Amino acid sequence: MGEYVAPLKDMRFVLNNIVDLNALSKLDGFEHAESDVVDAVLEEAGKFATNVLSPINKSGDLQGSHVKDAVVTTPDGWIDAYAQFVEGGWNGISAPEEFDGGGLPSAVALATVEMWNSANLAFSLCPLLTQGAIESLLAHGTEEQQQTYLKKLVSGEWAATMNLTESQAGSDVGALRSKAEPAEDGSWRISGQKIFITYGDHELSENIIHLVLARTPGAPAGTRGISLFIVPKFLVNDDGSLGARNDLKCVSLEEKIGIHASPTAVMSYGDEGNCVGYLIGGENKGMACMFTMMNSARLNVGVQGLAIAERAYQQAVEYARDRKQGQAPGMPKGEMAPIINHADVRRMLMTMKANIEAMRCLIYLNGECLDKAHHHPDETVRAESMGMAELLTPMSKGWSTDLGVELASIAVQIHGGMGFVEETGVGQYYRDARILPIYEGTNGIQALDLVGRKLGLNGGAPVKTILADMDIVVQELAQTGNEFTAMSLQLGLAVSALKEATDWLYTNAPNDPNAAPAGATPYLRMFSTVVGGYLLAKSALKAKNLLAAGDGDKGFLDAKIVTANFFTAQILPQATALLGPVTEGANTLFAITEEQLSA
């Protein structure tokens, strides 16, 4: 099994042709994000991923993290790798420069996040949560809180966690029972237990800043009565130095089917009655604050789905080129062909490649929308970009993580019986990927968010915009010539089906509370797949123009067109076929009784 190699050529293609990196570099704060600077950043990030993170991926899985006497230890090599991560400045490349961040666009940062997670997903979960905490503090923290915590979080010297889940609550955050009592000095005393806390304790960073949801006295029931608190592992003195250990601890680590090296902790707060916390964002405003962190995490978890698929794909291609079995058509008798020459293996590899490239387009585009939403000088463009980012986020998270599992499974299949043997390592990608559709709001919740909130966002403006953009691309394909006629036809059919499904949801959801939820998951898959086809079609058009101008790598650009054609012919019709499931309604779901389901 070879080490991970960053797909820099495709990353650059997407950043320059789906994302408009040149336009981003002209926005206030991004002036240094010129193509040569970005190329250098990506190049160095790729080296770090290949040389530092990838080599400890399998060993970390085998060794795992462990807890003894409330002290967590991570696998061999983790401490050194994290120190190099911090020293390289990788933790805060998109954070504001005023807090010693790199100030690069999110679209560029997402490419580096992809590399970290492809090389070593379990390691990369630690900085992922820290990034979310940075964004929450930037949006909701007081100036004092920002000055106290942000520079250390941006550098990575301190890490962070997100504490939502409790055993009785699960995805129903409103059912949490953790408490916060006011203290005379203006701080709070936190008590309660949280489960599934990623990197809840570890020895990688000097301090860990826990963001903890809890209820204050007399708070309203449900999510309306939740507040968010900063709860440091070590209290921070006025001069920024570390003080006493706070009253919190890791009770245990979960035994998981994957990401063994990532310590998933059960955390207990206030066992001695003196766990100090600091309110962020105002009392009973916890969900708004946490959603800033969670939306960041959702996009980054979507990147993880893309990343694990890319890593599994690289190994599958390598194996398919080396493994000889059977005869390919036209071969002399007695000779065996590499399995990459067999049609069904080609189908599986192309399914992986096409979906991966579509996901990369979607996720980087999502990042660009966030960049414009925060940095564009025109208020109208900022609002439109934020609306588009919000529409794309449940697709980036839901579709990409579903595909992460599916494509990792295909990689196991390509390995045949050896894929089921841990020795090859491909099974780790499948095991690691399985958490991703569950993390940060299950994919069912992403689908409900899409149909319940995002379709109606700003009067449906983001949906109308992207559908109109799709229609333009369909016409451009039709006008280009016979080469893209079939692509134009298939994309046109898919867009028409998506419009019909969307109209059905707009019409029926207000009259039947189960109508939209029943079709939500197939609708998310449908919408995402059509977006993927649309973006690959844009890639093909751009590749054709570059070829005509004699600009770029001919082999790479030819492959772009072939991959888009494959997606359009083999994958996009599946989206069109989902019109029925989306518009079926809930009758067939509830026609059977609970007793019949368990019979």
Side-chain angles (χ1 to χ4, degrees):
M1 177 179 65
E3 301 299 350
Y4 164 75
V5 178
L8 297 178
K9 189 174 291 186
D10 196 57
M11 290 174 166
R12 288 167 175 148
F13 179 89
V14 176
L15 287 172
N16 289 314
N17 296 287
I18 299 301
V19 173
D20 191 344
L21 182 60
N22 183 56
L24 287 180
S25 71
K26 292 179 170 57
L27 298 181
D28 186 29
F30 291 153
E31 294 87 355
H32 56 300
E34 298 174 341
S35 59
D36 57 340
V37 174
V38 170
D39 283 348
V41 168
L42 297 181
E43 192 79 33
E44 289 304 311
K47 292 176 183 177
F48 184 83
T50 299
N51 298 327
V52 179
L53 298 184
S54 181
I56 59 173
N57 183 48
K58 185 173 182 179
S59 61
D61 179 64
L62 293 172
Q63 186 178 355
S65 287
H66 301 280
V67 60
K68 183 178 181 181
D69 299 328
V71 176
V72 173
T73 54
T74 53
D76 294 341
W78 243 242
I79 293 176
D80 181 59
Y82 190 81
Q84 291 185 63
F85 187 78
V86 172
E87 184 179 356
W90 294 116
N91 194 70
I93 66 169
S94 63
E97 292 180 277
E98 65 179 293
F99 296 107
D100 298 339
L104 286 172
S106 294
V108 176
L110 288 170
T112 66
V113 172
E114 180 190 336
M115 295 184 212
W116 316 145
N117 283 280
S118 281
N120 193 326
L121 190 148
F123 175 92
S124 304
L125 284 163
C126 183
L128 182 151
L129 272 301
T130 303
Q131 181 61 37
I134 291 168
E135 295 193 17
S136 191
L137 278 162
L138 284 170
H140 306 287
T142 64
E143 182 177 352
E144 180 182 1
Q145 290 170 342
Q146 292 176 354
Q147 293 301 322
T148 300
Y149 300 105
L150 274 177
K151 285 191 176 182
K152 293 288 189 178
L153 289 172
V154 166
S155 72
E157 294 170 81
W158 295 355
T161 72
M162 179 166 56
N163 286 241
L164 289 82
T165 310
E166 299 180 9
S167 58
Q168 81 287 345
S171 295
D172 183 10
V173 180
L176 68 81
R177 297 172 185 163
S178 293
K179 296 179 181 179
E181 298 284 344
E184 291 182 2
D185 63 357
S187 64
W188 297 75
R189 296 298 176 267
I190 311 300
S191 61
Q193 192 173 93
K194 299 287 184 175
I195 65 171
F196 301 155
I197 308 307
T198 300
Y199 278 87
D201 191 53
H202 54 84
E203 76 283 55
L204 304 182
S205 60
E206 298 171 356
N207 202 2
I208 303 173
I209 309 304
H210 300 282
L211 294 189
V212 181
L213 288 179
R215 292 189 181 282
T216 58
T223 57
R224 293 186 303 114
I226 294 174
S227 301
L228 183 64
F229 298 87
I230 300 169
V231 186
K233 178 179 179 179
F234 292 96
L235 300 178
V236 182
N237 297 321
D238 291 341
D239 63 358
S241 63
L242 296 184
R245 170 72 184 256
N246 208 352
D247 179 16
L248 58 90
K249 65 181 179 181
C250 171
V251 176
S252 63
L253 295 181
E254 304 292 353
E255 295 288 338
K256 304 166 302 221
I257 65 173
I259 55 168
H260 295 146
S262 170
T264 303
V266 176
M267 297 296 298
S268 185
Y269 296 91
D271 289 355
E272 306 298 326
N274 194 34
C275 180
V276 180
Y278 306 95
L279 183 66
I280 177 173
E283 202 169 345
N284 299 328
K285 303 295 184 182
M287 288 306 293
C289 299
M290 187 58 80
F291 263 107
T292 298
M293 190 175 188
M294 182 170 277
N295 282 333
S296 169
R298 284 175 173 175
L299 179 54
N300 280 299
V301 171
V303 178
Q304 291 181 314
L306 161 64
I308 205 74
E310 172 66 37
R311 182 69 187 268
Y313 172 70
Q314 289 188 15
Q315 183 165 331
V317 172
E318 180 183 348
Y319 184 83
R321 295 181 71 176
D322 290 341
R323 171 65 168 158
K324 292 184 177 181
Q325 187 173 2
Q327 285 188 311
M331 281 188 64
K333 289 185 177 181
E335 294 186 13
M336 291 194 298
I339 62 173
I340 200 169
N341 292 320
H342 297 312
D344 192 55
V345 174
R346 283 296 183 102
R347 178 192 61 80
M348 289 188 282
L349 289 171
M350 283 300 297
T351 297
M352 296 183 76
K353 178 179 175 62
N355 277 303
I356 287 166
E357 292 187 13
M359 283 189 280
R360 187 170 289 124
C361 289
L362 167 62
I363 288 169
Y364 291 13
L365 175 63
N366 202 335
E368 180 192 30
C369 290
L370 288 171
D371 289 326
K372 291 194 293 185
H374 294 304
H375 290 268
H376 202 281
D378 188 314
E379 183 178 352
T380 300
V381 175
R382 291 199 303 272
E384 290 173 349
S385 298
M386 181 55 75
M388 187 60 66
E390 291 196 46
L391 175 66
L392 296 179
T393 295
M395 297 187 225
S396 293
K397 195 281 179 180
W399 188 53
S400 299
T401 57
D402 278 344
L403 284 176
V405 176
E406 293 171 26
L407 301 184
S409 179
I410 290 176
V412 173
Q413 188 73 17
I414 289 170
H415 282 71
M418 291 304 296
F420 205 65
V421 176
E422 288 286 4
E423 178 186 350
T424 62
V426 71
Q428 181 189 347
Y429 309 136
Y430 186 40
R431 290 187 286 102
D432 286 354
R434 193 56 193 87
I435 186 58
L436 303 179
I438 300 170
Y439 263 157
E440 311 309 338
T442 66
N443 284 357
I445 291 173
Q446 305 305 312
L448 291 172
D449 178 51
L450 177 62
V451 301
R453 200 170 76 84
K454 303 302 173 59
L455 288 189
L457 194 66
N458 302 330
V463 177
K464 293 172 185 175
T465 296
I466 199 166
L467 289 173
D469 289 345
M470 290 177 183
D471 285 335
I472 292 171
V473 170
V474 170
Q475 292 302 314
E476 289 178 352
L477 291 168
Q479 294 165 4
T480 301
N482 294 334
E483 183 180 8
F484 291 146
T485 299
M487 195 184 300
S488 174
L489 176 62
Q490 288 293 344
L491 182 58
L493 290 172
V495 173
S496 294
L498 177 59
K499 289 177 180 177
E500 185 175 344
T502 304
D503 289 342
W504 187 91
L505 288 168
Y506 281 140
T507 301
N508 289 274
N511 305 318
D512 181 355
N514 283 320
T521 291
Y523 182 74
L524 184 146
R525 183 69 172 229
M526 180 189 202
F527 205 147
S528 304
T529 304
V530 179
V531 170
Y534 147 71
L535 293 174
L536 288 186
K538 288 186 70 172
S539 298
L541 287 166
K542 183 63 177 180
K544 182 178 176 63
N545 291 338
L546 290 170
L547 284 167
D551 185 8
D553 181 332
K554 184 178 185 303
F556 173 80
L557 295 172
D558 283 338
K560 274 288 170 193
I561 296 172
V562 171
T563 302
N565 275 317
F566 176 88
F567 191 98
T568 304
Q570 296 282 342
I571 298 172
L572 197 55
Q574 299 169 24
T576 307
L578 287 171
L579 177 60
V582 173
T583 59
E584 173 64 25
N587 289 339
T588 55
L589 303 182
F590 293 95
I592 192 169
T593 66
E594 293 181 29
E595 291 73 18
Q596 288 171 317
L597 282 170
S598 60

